[in-house]
């Protein structure tokens, strides 16, 4: 039964609370008129849930709602003459008189080998013929040109500034101080151990044609083994020849005359390159 019975609600259904409308005395829903038909959108949603999307192979098709394998027309077998024309090999033969083009092989002369007079007791391994390495001179960096001032990074004259003259056949660089300016004589150095600067010295009048790798080669004297040679002795250094001294003076005289024409270039070459803790090498412009 309804709470508070139906007092004050008889004949006035609009005044009933919303929670009690459409309910039977037992608390169940009552049938209020016929049900409405589902709309087109609701039908599509229901079909999407029940049907699955099928992915067909390219050799299959849907005919009258059924998946059927495609049937192609049987290929006509081609004869040898048809495939020969289709391949185009007849055109190659036609250009060469009906024959395939061939290249004549080079005739190899056979050398007569004489049998050895004796055979070794054991098999001597014979090395394979390998391609010999051809030593090529290193490619010169684009920043290094004749007259460029370089900073040496290794060796006895580390930190000194030198003038580049030319590249030798071995790939090494021919440089000089000049000797009278900072004490660096004519010497060779690898371009991997130098820093190229933007400063340049005119070297048009310097003659360096006589300087090559053989010029700097050292002659090693043969040592004879004696009883006294067992003990270590100091080797005497050979003094520099007069010819080498004359060559150094000839190069220095032309370079110094060109250096003096530019202001502050002489003290720049005499100065020693150093870095402090506050310097950032990657931000320096040489």
């Amino acid at each position: 039964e309804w709470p508070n019975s139906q007092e004050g609600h008889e004949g006035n259904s609009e005044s009933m609370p919303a929670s009690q409308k459409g309910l039977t005395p037992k608390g169940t829903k009552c049938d209020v008129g016929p049900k409405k038909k589902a709309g087109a959108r609701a039908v599509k949603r229901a079909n999407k849930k029940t049907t699955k999307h099928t992915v067909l192979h390219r050799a299959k098709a849907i005919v009258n709602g059924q998946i059927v394998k495609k049937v192609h027309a049987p290929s006509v077998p081609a004869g040898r003459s048809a495939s020969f024309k289709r391949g185009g090999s007849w055109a190659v033969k036609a250009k060469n008189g009906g024959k395939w083009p061939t290249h004549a092989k080079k005739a190899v002369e056979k050398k007569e080998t004489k049998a050895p007079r004796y055979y070794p007791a054991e098999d001597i391994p014979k090395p394979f013929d390998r391609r010999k390495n051809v030593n090529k001179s290193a490619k010169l960096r684009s920043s290094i040109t004749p007259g460029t001032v370089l900073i040496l990074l290794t060796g006895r004259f580390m930190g000194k500034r030198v003038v580049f003259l030319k590249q030798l056949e071995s790939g090494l660089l021919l440089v000089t101080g000049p000797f009278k300016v900072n004490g660096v004589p004519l010497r060779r150095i690898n371009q991997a151990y130098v820093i190229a600067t933007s400063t340049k010295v005119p070297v048009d009048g310097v003659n360096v044609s006589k300087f090559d790798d053989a010029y700097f080669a050292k002659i090693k004297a043969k040592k004879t083994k004696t009883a006294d040679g067992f003990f270590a002795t100091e080797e005497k250094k050979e003094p520099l020849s007069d010819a080498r001294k004359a060559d150094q003076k000839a190069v220095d005289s032309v370079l110094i005359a060109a250096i003096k024409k530019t202001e502050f270039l002489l003290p720049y070459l005499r100065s020693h390159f150093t870095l402090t803790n506050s310097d950032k090498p990657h931000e320096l412009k040489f």
Side-chain angles (χ1 to χ4, degrees), residues 142-258:
S142 59
S143 58
I144 302 176
T145 56
T148 303
V149 176
L150 309 177
I151 299 172
L152 303 182
L153 300 177
T154 187
R156 177 183 167 192
F157 302 102
M158 182 172 60
K160 293 288 186 74
R161 292 179 171 90
V162 295
V163 180
F164 169 68
L165 300 177
K166 73 170 185 177
Q167 186 182 24
L168 303 176
E169 292 182 0
S170 60
L172 299 177
L173 309 182
L174 177 65
V175 298
T176 185
F179 180 76
K180 197 172 182 180
V181 175
N182 53 20
V184 181
L186 285 164
R187 60 188 291 108
R188 299 175 295 175
I189 192 164
N190 195 322
Q191 62 177 333
Y193 303 110
V194 299
I195 296 176
T197 65
S198 57
T199 308
K200 294 194 176 185
V201 178
V203 292
D204 300 334
V206 183
N207 184 13
V208 291
S209 58
K210 65 181 299 183
F211 302 110
D212 54 2
D213 292 304
Y215 181 85
F216 297 94
K218 294 182 180 180
I219 301 172
K220 293 183 179 180
K222 293 183 179 180
K223 296 182 180 180
T224 55
K225 293 183 179 181
T226 58
D228 298 334
F230 179 77
F231 301 99
T233 56
E234 294 183 1
E235 295 182 359
K236 294 181 180 179
K237 292 184 179 180
E238 295 183 1
L240 199 65
S241 63
D242 295 336
R244 294 284 291 269
K245 292 178 181 179
D247 295 338
Q248 184 70 57
K249 287 180 179 179
V251 173
D252 286 2
S253 60
V254 180
L255 280 177
I256 292 173

Side-chain angles (χ1 to χ4, degrees), residues 14-36:
E14 294 180 359
S15 60
M16 293 177 63
S19 60
Q20 296 179 5
K21 286 182 180 180
L23 295 177
T24 60
K26 294 182 180 180
T28 59
K29 287 185 179 181
C30 63
D31 296 332
V32 184
K35 292 183 178 180
K36 293 182 180 180

